[in-house]
Amino acid sequence: PALTNLLPNETVNETQQTLTTNNPSLLPQMSTNWDASLDYYFEPVGSVSVSWFRKRIRDYIVTGTNVGTVPSGNNNGFNGEYAGFTILTSANAGTATVNGWEFAYQQQFTFLPGFLKGLGASANYTLISTHGDFGGTVQRSTNEVAGFIPRTANLVPSWRLGAFICRVRVSYTSGYLDTYNATNPALNIYSRRRVLVSPSLAYELRPSLGLSLEVSNLTHEFQERYQ
């Protein structure tokens, strides 16, 4: 957990009648990890790989855990203030399992003639799924875990000529659950899939010094959310 949890701090929300406090007793999240990878290398410069991983997390840190109500009286621990407020804190309250596959490819096309031999490309695709209670009272799966992105991909074509390098990164993010509402799933907020294009240029003045220019999200792709 973050070291800020060791500090005696509280945040009051008068509108919601809540009092959020730090928890110095938090334990670290622990995980058991399994990884397997199969790699194939080929001439002149290239590789293809397939990887599988599994992560089992325990003592999952959950924020906003209800741990009771502030009592009344001068000795309530808050100098007599906030009587009746709900106390929220972070706690080690859940478990989760994450499974995933990753496919990767990279190659330098040095066998091509002339200036084309400076061409190269790399790509990867990741597919993950999850399940667990995540600190709740019911089991959740991939589409019920806020902020969990099930599929991502990247494609990066590049070209090098002497000290000059240019590349374009195309990144894909699948749709995912942004905000989860356990009381009313109809109020869940989702983010739509998104593709970002980010070109960059670089010039190597010498091995220890270079100049670079990058444009992030060249096409001004918006992040759209919906219920």
Side-chain angles (χ1 to χ4, degrees), residues 79-191:
N79 296 321
E81 298 184 80
Y82 314 126
F85 279 42
T86 299
I87 304 175
L88 303 177
T89 190
S90 298
N92 298 102
T95 60
T97 300
V98 180
N99 298 295
W101 289 89
E102 182 175 38
F103 306 90
Y105 158 81
Q106 61 177 350
Q107 185 173 9
Q108 296 295 319
F109 302 106
T110 55
F111 55 86
L112 293 176
F115 68 92
L116 293 178
K117 66 174 54 180
L119 289 173
S122 64
N124 62 71
Y125 177 74
T126 303
L127 176 65
I128 56 179
S129 61
T130 187
H131 65 272
D133 58 31
F134 296 91
T137 57
V138 297
Q139 291 287 313
R140 296 186 191 177
S141 58
T142 301
N143 295 326
E144 299 172 311
V145 181
F148 192 86
I149 303 174
R151 295 182 302 279
T152 58
N154 294 283
L155 174 64
V156 186
S158 61
W159 179 63
R160 178 166 190 156
L161 182 63
F164 179 77
I165 307 170
C166 65
R167 59 172 54 91
V168 178
R169 177 180 295 276
V170 181
S171 301
Y172 164 81
T173 302
S174 68
Y176 63 94
L177 177 63
D178 189 270
T179 304
Y180 179 75
N181 190 308
T183 306
N184 185 0
L187 298 180
N188 288 350
I189 299 176
Y190 298 87
S191 290

